[in-house]
Amino acid sequence: MTRTTRVDEALPLNTVLAGDCIEVMNGLPAGSVDLIFADPPYNLQLKNQLHRPDNSRVDAVDDAWDQFSSFEAYDAFTRAWLAAAKRLLKPGGAIWVIGSYHNVFRLGAELQNQGYWILNDVVWRKSNPMPNFRGKRFTNAHETLIWASVGEGAKYTFNYEALKALNEGIQMRSDWVIPICNGHERLKDDQGDKAHPTQKPEALLHRVLVGTTNPGDVVLDPFFGTGTTGAVAKMLGRDFIGIEREEAYRKVAEKRLAKVRRFDREALTVSAGKRQEPRVPFGQLVERGLLSPGEMLQSPRGKIAKIRADGTLVSENVKGSIHQVGAALEGAPSCNGWTYWSFKREGKSVPIDVLRQQIRSEMHD
Amino acid sequence: MTRTTRVDEALPLNTVLAGDCIEVMNGLPAGSVDLIFADPPYNLQLKNQLHRPDNSRVDAVDDAWDQFSSFEAYDAFTRAWLAAAKRLLKPGGAIWVIGSYHNVFRLGAELQNQGYWILNDVVWRKSNPMPNFRGKRFTNAHETLIWASVGEGAKYTFNYEALKALNEGIQMRSDWVIPICNGHERLKDDQGDKAHPTQKPEALLHRVLVGTTNPGDVVLDPFFGTGTTGAVAKMLGRDFIGIEREEAYRKVAEKRLAKVRRFDREALTVSAGKRQEPRVPFGQLVERGLLSPGEMLQSPRGKIAKIRADGTLVSENVKGSIHQVGAALEGAPSCNGWTYWSFKREGKSVPIDVLRQQIRSEMHD
DNA sequence: ACAGATCATGAATCCATCT
DNA sequence: AAGATGGATTCATGATCTG
């Protein structure tokens, strides 16, 4: 009696494979994977040490695996692993990659070059990013994910209703607010140091897997690290394949995975909740043209102040925020500028708080 | 009598130039522009208009090749205009480009290939995006901007304090929440249809220009469209140069620009940081008798140091500047001596920075 | 035990000027 | 041109310490 070997039987499901991800992927059967989630090295190109204003040293990502000699070398690496990944994907499969401005443009361009079809780019907006300590750039407060199918017109999985439910009944957008991974979720080594420099939050993988896979799907992560993809896949009833070169990371991942129980959502409910009125900087009223630089504001007792282009006020040699100038004019220790200042419209005096409410109502859309 | 032609005299400031932006840029003097803001098109009719880098024509072939050749043609276009832009920038200049996932990865990769140095990628998070009607993808709720200097280590303008003020005292992040351009701000043509398909909100340009230019700077926009960059530049007291190929857009832009008024000078003044303050050597406090040689200074943790006649300190076998001695006593890599040391007056401990402020205020007289 | 203060830390391409 | 020096610069969160 003949027997057809099913592809899945050859797959090392729910294990962590050792070795270089390109070689390992090339040894797996083609067309056998539903989703690939890849968090490749970012090629950060850090040169000097950085200290916080309190003189403590920032623990930088200086690992050897993040070093490349040039963009050409990084591109060659990217080309190779993306090609190996494409071979593994089923016709209805898809890929997610994550990166920062150091590498994500090269990732995206190479995805397109290889015929992957980009479905969305998604922004992970970190609610608690590391600040810019020297005040030389914008706070690097996000990372970018790219979601792509295997080609133009290819099928792919998208669980629209599930994502809508995750988002309190509103269609899920391309920007996701999720805290960085720290606290009890952050894995530590025996010395109490972080086990991996760039562990991703489970909430991020939860949204990816709920949204773009089905239970029973095979999810492969070629840069497995400490196994966040595997842990969330296991919780959600998906099969995973991890590939990781570093033995230390594999060990941490295996220990972690052994503890994970399917449908254990404890860690995942954390990211929900906490809705408060969004903070509206006064400067936004100026940027949006609701108030103009040069326009005058009035205090309850008739004092006036001029608005500047950066959203600060000037009055009687006092400069600063709406709160600071209000406090200075009143000789008070503090002042709520939102209720203190008014502007003129059609002869009437209108509190600036009205404009804040207008912006807030737009934000809820 | 000989006369040196200043570069600025050749610049067509505050006008909208007609023509292909690459040709027009190549006709302007090198090193004459402080900032370029570019919103390049990505829905080009590539096949008949563009050439490969070697000037061979791009022909339509089968679908797969067509896909690849289209990217190649787009890359050639990107390469050409980014190179022309780089030539125009001053050594301390910078560029902003904006795009969506269709083109931004190719823009970013080519910026890096040409030696531009990416400073941040910034996400414009739209507070009121168009929903995804078919429910097949995430709501496309953002676009990406890339901010880059002309090269690694190059100087660039960043008004940190002004941006912080715009954000109510918290340093500005890389994700900006700004509504899309509609309502009163959205320009209409004679038929009442939108005059341009992708008009950018003035709030976006306001933040870009307040944050990364100074009054009087020259801002060039090679894809001027209906002139948002020019309008905001004019309001903010920056000079602009617009380039636009389509006559219809130029007409709308010129009509729009004629109506824009510049804000008054005081309103354009923006919060500046301590880096702008003149440097005061510590020795001046001794020379002027505000502190005396032999007098003792105290650190926050009670250590003491003696002032010498040349403005250096001695403490526990350490000699040197206020900064060097402070750093040595704390075992820190660096130390701001101005905020570290205090002296005694009438039994009270007074930070020496108070004396620096006194000297600075005298300098203003 | 509990509240409040203090400390530690996270994918970071993080200085300007003078000698 | 390279090296030395002055001195400016941080937000959110969880853990640990203090009273």
Side-chain angles (χ1 to χ4, degrees), chain A residues 45 47 51 55 71-72 75 96 100-110 112-113 115 117-123 125-142 144 146-147 152 156 158 160 163 171-177 207 211-212 279-284 286-288 292-295 306-312 314 321-323 338 362-363 365, chain B residues 67-68 71 75 96 100-110 112-113 117-123 125-142 144-147 152 156 158 160-163 165-179 185 202-204 206-207 210-212 236 263-264 266-272 275 332-335:
Chain A
Q45 308 170 72
K47 295 198 173 72
H51 292 87
N55 271 330
F71 282 132
E72 289 74 21
D75 291 344
W96 286 85
S100 67
Y101 67 84
H102 309 82
N103 70 327
V104 77
F105 304 116
R106 316 201 78 85
L107 289 177
E110 186 57 27
Q112 293 178 313
N113 290 346
W117 192 251
I118 298 182
L119 299 164
N120 276 114
D121 60 337
V122 169
V123 173
R125 303 171 65 205
K126 303 179 185 184
S127 55
N128 50 349
M130 181 156 66
N132 185 289
F133 295 117
R134 304 298 291 267
K136 301 307 292 183
R137 302 182 178 192
F138 299 96
T139 308
N140 215 328
H142 74 278
T144 303
I146 306 174
W147 174 43
E152 183 175 3
Y156 57 89
F158 184 62
Y160 178 77
L163 287 161
Q171 191 172 88
M172 185 71 80
R173 302 166 40 115
S174 59
D175 58 318
W176 303 352
V177 179
R207 195 171 293 185
T212 64
R279 189 178 54 90
V280 177
F282 176 73
Q284 282 206 10
V286 181
E287 286 180 337
R288 299 192 185 183
S292 302
E295 201 170 344
K306 183 184 282 188
I307 302 171
R308 301 197 296 179
D310 64 352
T312 57
V314 204
S321 70
I322 52 172
H323 316 295
W338 288 108
E362 287 170 9
M363 292 171 79
D365 298 340
Chain B
Q67 194 55 53
F68 183 71
F71 282 130
D75 291 345
W96 286 85
S100 67
Y101 67 82
H102 304 90
N103 67 328
V104 77
F105 304 115
R106 315 204 79 85
L107 290 175
E110 186 56 28
Q112 292 178 314
N113 291 345
W117 193 247
I118 298 182
L119 298 164
N120 278 113
D121 61 336
V122 169
V123 172
R125 195 242 186 207
K126 303 176 185 180
S127 53
N128 48 352
M130 172 119 48
N132 185 294
F133 293 113
R134 297 197 308 157
K136 304 302 285 183
R137 303 184 183 192
F138 298 96
T139 304
N140 219 321
H142 75 278
T144 302
L145 299 100
I146 307 174
W147 175 43
E152 183 175 3
Y156 55 89
F158 185 60
Y160 177 76
E161 291 292 340
L163 287 160
L166 269 181
N167 199 30
E168 287 232 318
I170 295 164
Q171 71 177 203
M172 188 71 79
R173 298 168 39 120
S174 60
D175 54 328
W176 302 355
V177 180
I178 292 174
E185 190 185 321
E202 294 187 0
L204 189 72
H206 182 103
R207 194 172 294 182
V210 165
T212 64
L236 291 174
F263 301 134
D264 69 62
E266 189 179 24
L268 297 180
T269 308
V270 121
S271 310
R275 288 190 177 98
S334 70
C335 170

Side-chain angles (χ1 to χ4, degrees), chain A residues 6-62:
Chain A
R6 284 179 51 237
V7 164
D8 279 9
E9 289 177 322
L11 281 181
L13 293 180
N14 306 312
T15 56
V16 187
L17 306 176
D20 171 73
C21 74
I22 299 167
E23 289 171 24
V24 173
M25 283 195 280
N26 284 336
L28 293 172
S32 57
V33 167
D34 296 286
L35 191 87
I36 292 176
F37 184 92
D39 180 14
Y42 285 13
N43 187 24
L44 285 187
Q45 308 170 72
L46 303 176
K47 295 198 173 72
N48 302 308
Q49 281 205 341
L50 180 64
H51 292 87
R52 300 186 180 82
D54 65 4
N55 271 330
S56 63
R57 201 175 65 83
V58 175
D59 185 14
V61 179
D62 54 2

Side-chain angles (χ1 to χ4, degrees), chain B residues 208-268:
Chain B
V208 165
L209 295 183
V210 165
T212 64
T213 64
N214 293 310
D217 277 4
V218 176
V219 178
L220 181 140
D221 186 334
F223 306 99
F224 201 58
T226 50
T228 305
T229 302
V232 179
K234 187 173 175 186
M235 288 179 207
L236 291 174
R238 278 72 168 162
D239 289 317
F240 69 88
I241 301 172
I243 307 174
E244 176 53 50
R245 201 174 51 180
E246 304 288 331
E247 189 184 3
Y249 297 155
R250 287 200 303 274
K251 281 195 169 161
V252 174
E254 274 157 359
K255 192 171 155 194
R256 170 189 196 173
L257 287 160
K259 282 191 250 177
V260 171
R261 276 190 327 129
R262 191 185 129 158
F263 301 134
D264 69 62
R265 224 180 104 250
E266 189 179 24
L268 297 180

